[in-house]
Amino acid sequence: MKDSLDIIADEVRICKKCDLCKGRTNAVPGEGTPNAQVMFIGEGPGAEEDKQGRPFVGRSGKLLREMIRMVGLKEEEVFIANVVKCRPPGNRDPKPEEIAACRPYLDRQIAVMNPKVMVSLGRHAMERELPGMKISDVHGKSFHRKNGRLYMPLYHPAVALYSPKQKDVLIEDMKKLPKLIQQI
Ligand code: URA
Ligand code: SF4
């Protein structure tokens, strides 16, 4: 059968491939338009996301969704996913083995959607594409990926919630998005 976002989401909701399944209320497969041009990739669900089973619906999510609108993108034009689909207890960092266990789901979502632009949020999501790099060096820069796709790492919106300076940087980086989309 041809792979699809629905098939992947159904598998994620019952997945037990790593220990994060033990503490979750709901797995968070991701949401958005199947043929979205832009895919945002966060780190993992927080408390509110775990409760609702939807990505970025807490405080960082509110800021992310505001910024998406601010740069002129519609929420319907984007897909929002995470590196791990189940909440790490107490919002700790996801462990490398958890990221590895969950990786095939995100790989498949990217393969099915084939987005023009991929945007990672935060250090853990950046590690996937640019292992060993420092986010302070690469945020807001764009990198070529296969299928003519562009990739841009951004700071995580959670950081911007308590640092106005980081918020300004994040907004400036975010403003580059419409141009990147046009470029392709
Ligand atoms: N932070 C993330 O990285 N992902 C979410 O879905 C929510 C908050
Ligand atoms: Fe499965 Fe990913 Fe959840 Fe781990 S985090 S249980 S690999 S869906």
Side-chain angles (χ1 to χ4, degrees):
M1 195 173 28
K2 199 164 166 273
D3 204 7
S4 77
L5 293 174
D6 286 342
I7 293 172
I8 300 165
D10 285 345
E11 287 178 36
V12 163
R13 286 191 193 101
I14 54 166
C15 176
K16 291 188 176 165
K17 288 193 175 136
C18 83
D19 281 350
L20 292 181
C21 71
K22 293 180 186 162
R24 76 176 173 221
T25 313
N26 292 294
V28 181
E31 70 178 26
T33 318
N35 53 4
Q37 306 203 323
V38 188
M39 184 179 201
F40 288 91
I41 304 168
E43 182 175 316
E48 194 55 35
E49 289 78 19
D50 174 72
K51 206 156 107 189
Q52 296 190 30
R54 297 180 55 209
F56 283 97
V57 287
R59 283 180 67 217
S60 339
K62 194 165 168 257
L63 178 59
L64 173 66
R65 289 167 193 272
E66 255 172 42
M67 288 190 302
I68 289 174
R69 277 193 299 273
M70 194 193 287
V71 300
L73 287 170
K74 297 204 175 68
E75 265 189 42
E76 308 87 76
E77 290 171 326
V78 308
F79 191 90
I80 305 177
N82 278 302
V83 177
V84 293
K85 315 294 193 195
C86 304
R87 183 190 183 204
N91 297 346
R92 66 156 169 77
D93 289 348
K95 295 178 184 169
E97 62 266 29
E98 294 159 353
I99 295 175
C102 212
R103 187 178 177 109
Y105 295 122
L106 184 54
D107 287 344
R108 283 166 60 196
Q109 286 173 319
I110 295 168
V112 166
M113 280 189 50
N114 196 19
K116 281 184 174 180
V117 179
M118 236 161 56
V119 179
S120 63
L121 302 162
R123 189 163 55 87
H124 293 283
M126 179 212 72
E127 269 287 320
R128 216 191 109 85
E129 292 296 321
L130 302 171
M133 300 287 262
K134 280 170 71 180
I135 193 157
S136 51
D137 291 336
V138 293
H139 71 88
K141 297 190 174 147
S142 50
F143 300 82
H144 288 277
R145 284 294 177 265
K146 63 178 178 191
N147 295 351
R149 185 176 300 140
L150 283 174
Y151 163 63
M152 179 166 72
L154 296 181
Y155 283 119
H156 197 287
V159 181
L161 285 176
Y162 53 82
S163 163
K165 224 173 167 173
Q166 297 276 70
K167 186 173 175 178
D168 290 344
V169 175
L170 182 55
I171 291 172
E172 283 313 304
D173 286 348
M174 197 83 155
K175 283 185 185 159
K176 297 174 187 167
L177 256 181
K179 244 200 201 123
L180 280 192
I181 299 167
Q182 274 175 7
Q183 221 172 301
I184 294 171

